[in-house]
Amino acid sequence: MVEKEKSSRTITGTVISDKMNKTIVVQVERKVKHPLYGKYIRRFSKMYAHDEDNACHIGDLVVIQQTRPLSKTKRWKLVEILKREEQQ
């Protein structure tokens, strides 16, 4: 039998906080259609992700992957940084 590789969920979002040690907060945007009017509305979710090297900063565009529970709130880990925000 060939074993299937278990694919984990990956999502893209923006880092909104990097104040914690080895943890970032990523804001993920999704668009949902209003049930009555049909207009698309932006909805946001905040995910806590593990950043082992403290490499991310506020404004970075990142890819995070679902993983086992790492703490009370962390269920995601950083996969890669797609775009760095310009530091002032």
Side-chain angles (χ1 to χ4, degrees), residues 16-65:
I16 58 172
S17 174
D18 63 348
K19 295 181 187 301
M20 294 171 277
N21 188 29
K22 297 188 178 183
T23 303
I24 55 174
V25 182
V26 179
Q27 185 175 28
V28 178
E29 178 186 330
R30 61 189 173 90
K31 292 188 173 146
V32 294
K33 195 172 185 178
H34 190 280
L36 178 62
Y37 300 115
K39 181 177 179 176
Y40 283 92
I41 306 166
R42 294 180 350 175
R43 296 284 182 215
F44 298 97
S45 300
K46 287 197 313 187
M47 316 284 193
Y48 289 79
H50 185 67
D51 178 13
E52 183 64 38
D53 303 325
N54 288 322
C56 292
H57 300 290
I58 295 175
D60 291 352
L61 188 66
V62 297
V63 176
I64 56 176
Q65 181 180 34

Side-chain angles (χ1 to χ4, degrees), residues 59-76:
D60 291 352
L61 188 66
V62 297
V63 176
I64 56 176
Q65 181 180 34
Q66 199 169 25
T67 184
R68 65 180 177 82
L70 300 171
S71 72
K72 179 181 173 183
T73 54
K74 282 202 287 190
R75 305 290 188 271
W76 299 85

Side-chain angles (χ1 to χ4, degrees), residues 73-84:
T73 54
K74 282 202 287 190
R75 305 290 188 271
W76 299 85
K77 68 178 178 180
L78 177 68
V79 176
E80 68 174 311
I81 302 171
L82 296 177
K83 189 175 101 179
R84 292 233 182 239

